[in-house]
Amino acid sequence: MPAQAYAGKECVCQFRKGICDQSCVRDMLETPLYIACLKLKGRNCLVVGGGDVGLEKVEGLLACDGDVTLVAPDAHPELQRLAEEGSITWHRKRYEPGDLEGKFMVIAATNDSEVNIGVYYDAEKRAMLVNVVDVPPLCNFILPAIVRTGPLAIAISTAGASPALAKRMKREISELFGEDYARLAVILNDARGWAKSTLPTYQDRKEFFEGIVNGEPDPIELVREGRESEVLELIERHKERAAAALAAGNAVLAKPAE
């Protein structure tokens, strides 16, 4: 259960029940979430709240090249440093609805429930992405635990039911899918240009890459053993086979009917 929403604690959601009875989170596990990866480069992102959690969210947005604005009367020393060096814009004041103008998303990380509720409603009116930390009913998107290695990003979500379990899964997945997979992703990306310019259909390209990834020898094992040249040779062999199959198919189509 999210840290700020459990029975017996002061209500922090829009239902304003006084004491939480969990009614706002009962459907969490039944709500299907549409998983997507957002491209934040050059997009204006707002964080409301300058404490430890606000710092965590700012750093996450900066890691994805978002243009970050912080709204908070006071801020963590590291946030102050980021503002001083020009990495973020800090408006040293309390939140106002106008702070949302021109923003792509907003994350509220304050310890004031009324401010968080206000951010949620103001953002919903503007059809914006909004996340209030640890309060699922005040979110139209959630932030999963992320395993990030090079170009690879693996998201783990328990729909807010157990952040502790998500953290354990993150640790175990990071051990299982590490640098070897990231390196193979880079190598395969270099072959995408050839595939897109040579293989005419999605199905052709799908079979080409699946043949490499799922075939023998295992490219992951080759990368792990430092035999990247053999991975490149493997890719070249699959290129030759795919091109030959394509040529044979074209020849059959071009053959005049008898």
Side-chain angles (χ1 to χ4, degrees):
M1 187 60 57
Q4 293 188 24
Y6 60 85
K9 192 171 182 179
E10 183 180 354
C11 177
V12 295
C13 79
Q14 68 271 43
F15 298 117
R16 296 181 173 89
K17 292 201 169 186
I19 299 300
C20 177
D21 64 1
Q22 293 189 21
S23 60
C24 61
V25 295
R26 283 180 187 140
D27 67 343
M28 279 197 309
L29 299 182
E30 300 173 3
T31 301
L33 298 175
Y34 186 78
I35 305 298
C37 296
L38 300 177
K39 184 177 180 180
L40 295 185
K41 187 173 183 178
R43 295 189 182 276
N44 295 317
C45 305
L46 176 66
V47 174
V48 181
D52 292 339
V53 178
L55 172 61
E56 175 189 340
K57 302 310 175 185
V58 165
E59 289 179 334
L61 294 171
L62 289 177
C64 296
D65 294 328
D67 290 342
V68 182
T69 297
L70 172 70
V71 169
D74 298 294
H76 187 285
E78 180 62 17
L79 287 170
Q80 295 182 32
R81 187 189 68 79
L82 290 171
E84 290 168 359
E85 71 182 23
S87 295
I88 66 173
T89 299
W90 177 24
H91 296 311
R92 191 167 185 168
K93 66 183 190 65
R94 292 185 61 81
Y95 164 79
E96 299 173 356
D99 294 324
L100 298 178
E101 296 305 321
K103 303 298 188 296
F104 174 69
M105 71 158 59
V106 57
I107 299 175
T110 81
N111 57 7
D112 187 324
S113 296
E114 290 305 314
V115 171
N116 292 339
I117 293 170
V119 171
Y120 171 74
Y121 279 127
D122 294 338
E124 282 281 278
K125 290 176 185 176
R126 293 164 173 78
M128 286 178 57
L129 292 172
V130 55
N131 177 283
V132 175
V133 176
D134 269 345
V135 190
L138 298 181
C139 302
N140 58 27
F141 77 98
I142 64 171
L143 295 168
I146 300 293
V147 176
R148 195 182 301 276
T149 307
L152 295 184
I154 303 172
I156 304 108
S157 171
T158 60
S162 178
L165 178 59
K167 288 181 180 179
R168 172 177 173 169
M169 294 172 66
K170 176 180 178 180
R171 182 176 65 253
E172 294 179 358
I173 288 173
S174 65
E175 294 171 356
L176 184 61
F177 301 102
E179 293 290 343
D180 304 324
Y181 283 83
R183 180 57 190 151
L184 181 58
V186 172
I187 294 172
L188 292 173
N189 183 65
D190 291 338
R192 289 183 71 236
W194 178 89
K196 293 185 73 173
S197 63
T198 307
L199 305 177
T201 69
Y202 167 79
Q203 188 61 31
D204 291 333
R205 296 187 289 272
K206 178 173 179 285
E207 291 176 0
F208 169 71
F209 283 109
E210 288 189 350
I212 297 170
V213 172
N214 299 322
E216 292 293 338
D218 183 350
I220 283 294
E221 290 302 320
L222 294 177
V223 172
R224 283 175 178 164
E225 295 170 6
R227 298 156 62 189
E228 289 190 12
S229 62
E230 295 181 44
V231 177
L232 298 177
E233 292 171 4
L234 176 65
I235 293 172
E236 289 304 315
R237 289 198 297 272
H238 278 270
K239 285 182 180 180
E240 292 171 4
R241 292 173 193 166
L246 180 62
N250 290 338
V252 170
L253 292 174
K255 185 178 181 179
E258 296 182 357

